[in-house]
Amino acid sequence: MKFFTFGSKDIGIDLGTANILVTLKGKGIVLKEPSVVAIDRKSGNIMATGNEAKEMLGRTPEQIKAVRPLKDGVIADFTATQLMLKNIIGKVEKRYSIGRPRVVVGVPSGITEVEERAVEESVMQAGAKEVYLIEEPMAAAIGASLDVAEPSVDIGGGTTEVAVISLGGIVLSHSLRVAGDELDEDIVNYVKREMNLAIGETTAEQIKIQIGCAMPLMTDIEIEVRGRDLTDGLPRNVKIKSSQVEEAIRESISKIVDIVKSTLEKTPPELSSDIMQKGIVLAGGGALIKNLDKLLSIETGMPVYIADEPLDCVVRGTGKTLEDLERLKTVLINARKRR
């Protein structure tokens, strides 16, 4: 693999299951929107992307399909992903005249070679000149300014990425395909089972964001949601409490806690004292689940911190690699060695 000097028009992408973020060298984050695309079934043309397309989920007429083309952190619908990326890169090109950029993309650490090639090909077909992949936990650690022995936990929409970072590289990592989307599904199933009400994934996501918690809150929060009654098929409003959401997502949260503990247990002893001192840093949208940091601290016996602007950590990390050629070389070389 050859290395190069990045230009001012090269971009970094956090190709997330739930959201896609783009950073442009020298400009910072220039685009942030949901990873959703609406496509005309007959013509194959894009009708909408991002927030506009997300509003269409579950509401489109037969001739339009609104989809989330990524699942568990990787491409599930190649054509839709390619169209979405082409549209997104086109938006950045229109605003900043980037031409055919070199692109650094954050991907899950557990991605297979076949999935890697799918990402690379999709980005290339969308208009990139060259594509370089960086593992998400490494990108999140760089975005959170970690550079010594510290565990980084990136909880995105499709995957939870746990990695121990030391001296600018990943010493140990695990990828779990349980994250924000799984929590949304847990809430959908709970409301269906306990309240006899059907709700969509967008409603479940809003419940998670507003009152989702990994441990009971000091004061139970309650919100009202609307869904379809499974008995008579009519719309109905119900109230749901944070304690109920905690119950709904408990099993998935336990899996996330277990993968963090498992990673720590396998960490080289030479790094253990540093980790005890520095603690664990949480990134990704899942870091915002109320009391998740407290639960992890109790379960691991270590301090746990939420990164500044956790949703932006991965894309900020790709942006920093755009500005630091030697850092990118080290990251790519270390990733190849571990494989």
Side-chain angles (χ1 to χ4, degrees), residues 3 5 11 39 207 216 312:
F3 293 100
T5 301
I11 63 176
I39 302 171
I207 293 171
D312 300 344

Side-chain angles (χ1 to χ4, degrees), residues 15-18 20 34-39 48-50 53 57 65-85 88 122 181 201:
L15 189 59
T17 303
I20 185 165
S35 302
V36 184
V37 58
I39 302 171
T49 61
L57 285 172
K65 67 172 182 177
V67 297
R68 295 176 60 185
L70 294 111
K71 182 175 176 59
D72 297 334
V74 295
I75 294 173
D77 186 326
F78 182 85
T79 301
T81 300
Q82 182 180 320
L83 288 170
M84 181 180 70
L85 281 167
I88 285 167
S122 186
D181 286 353
E201 59 182 52

